[in-house]
Amino acid sequence: MLLHAVTFVGLLLAQPEIPSPKDAALKQELARLQGGWQIEAMQEDGEKTAAADLKGRTLFFGRDTFLFRRPDNLIQIGMLKLDPAKTPKTVNVTIMRGPQKGDTMLGIYTVEGDALKVCLHVPGEERPKDFSAASGSGRLFVTAKRIRNKDDGPDLTGAYRSVSTEIDGSKHAAEVDIERMGDAYLVTYKRGPGVAYIGIGLRKGNVFCLSWISQGQAGITMYTIESGHRLIGHYSQLGGPGILSEETLTRTDYK
């Protein structure tokens, strides 16, 4: 498994791709779904789920994968295929684990801020045209609200300029893309046309911790999230003497 992961990272670093406008739009749409959502109402084929039964039921989106969960167990895992260019926006849901495993449901969805609506035709024969699930329709209609932690603050997703200072005083610049991935973040460093580093980060309050890897090099960076859309970090490399170097990330796409 480790060899496969290293091989994958090597290929990613060696073969950067420029996304098409359609891929960029899809990436942006997926970013709006990432993380956890509390289910507030659910109706299937005319039957409403009781509020007591909804307690603790959540949806979780990580990239194009979703998990449907109760507090004590996992109900379903599936894959999403979105088309945000359609009106209403469409989604195909393929179940990988749980009830209806192997089936693909056709649906529509809307996400506005912290509010999500999804309507699926469970048999997968026809796509809904509106958000309803009347008796005999074969539809499932779910509304959910984004789960937010009080100390999370604004989302970090966006483009940044990195300036790092090595122990000898030399400075290095790079362009950085931070992408939400579930409750974590995918961070990509680019120098020129190529990818220099890639890593995964976790946030808690105003602290952001990043574990990164490049060809033949790995390390960790700890950032303090400051106002003014800046992250001030200190990093160290695996196998090095443990001396901390400095880095500043400054948001470049903020409007």
Side-chain angles (χ1 to χ4, degrees), residues 160 225-231 249-252 254:
Y160 294 78
I225 303 170
E226 295 189 343
S227 59
H229 312 285
R230 292 204 316 165
L231 284 74
L249 291 178
T250 304
R251 187 80 176 263
T252 59
Y254 184 78

Side-chain angles (χ1 to χ4, degrees), residues 157-224:
T157 298
Y160 294 78
R161 174 76 169 173
S162 164
V163 177
S164 58
T165 304
E166 300 290 351
I167 58 176
D168 62 359
S170 61
K171 294 183 180 293
H172 303 278
E175 303 303 317
V176 179
D177 182 56
I178 299 181
E179 176 187 353
R180 185 76 181 265
M181 187 174 65
D183 284 335
Y185 292 85
L186 177 66
V187 182
T188 306
Y189 281 72
K190 298 178 182 179
R191 290 198 179 105
V195 175
Y197 297 88
I198 191 167
I200 187 167
L202 298 176
R203 176 183 184 169
K204 183 65 176 178
N206 71 334
V207 175
F208 183 58
C209 186
L210 175 68
S211 176
W212 47 265
I213 188 171
S214 182
Q215 293 176 331
Q217 196 175 40
I220 189 168
T221 308
M222 185 78 75
Y223 298 94
T224 299

Side-chain angles (χ1 to χ4, degrees), residues 59-181:
L59 284 170
F60 178 85
F61 297 98
R63 304 297 290 275
D64 57 356
T65 300
F66 84 91
L67 286 75
F68 180 30
R69 299 184 288 192
R70 290 192 182 99
D72 56 349
N73 73 312
L74 178 64
I75 302 173
Q76 283 179 324
I77 300 176
M79 302 292 292
L80 307 171
K81 184 177 180 181
L82 306 179
D83 190 344
K86 297 286 181 64
T87 303
K89 298 176 180 180
T90 67
V91 58
N92 291 0
V93 175
T94 301
I95 307 301
M96 311 302 292
R97 174 180 167 182
Q100 288 90 42
K101 179 180 178 180
D103 292 349
T104 296
M105 304 177 189
L106 305 181
I108 56 175
Y109 76 97
T110 178
V111 54
E112 298 179 2
D114 289 342
L116 171 67
K117 294 181 181 180
V118 182
C119 187
L120 301 169
H121 188 246
V122 177
E125 297 170 355
E126 58 183 4
R127 194 178 303 279
K129 293 181 173 59
D130 57 61
F131 292 93
S132 64
S135 178
S137 65
R139 296 183 187 177
L140 171 67
F141 177 33
V142 175
T143 62
K145 182 178 180 180
R146 188 185 302 277
I147 299 171
R148 288 192 180 274
N149 296 320
K150 293 182 180 180
D151 61 348
D152 275 353
D155 188 61
L156 297 178
T157 298
Y160 294 78
R161 174 76 169 173
S162 164
V163 177
S164 58
T165 304
E166 300 290 351
I167 58 176
D168 62 359
S170 61
K171 294 183 180 293
H172 303 278
E175 303 303 317
V176 179
D177 182 56
I178 299 181
E179 176 187 353
R180 185 76 181 265
M181 187 174 65

Side-chain angles (χ1 to χ4, degrees), residues 231-250:
L231 284 74
I232 307 298
H234 293 85
Y235 64 92
S236 187
Q237 300 172 11
L238 180 66
I243 298 175
L244 296 181
S245 299
E246 298 180 356
E247 180 194 15
T248 299
L249 291 178
T250 304

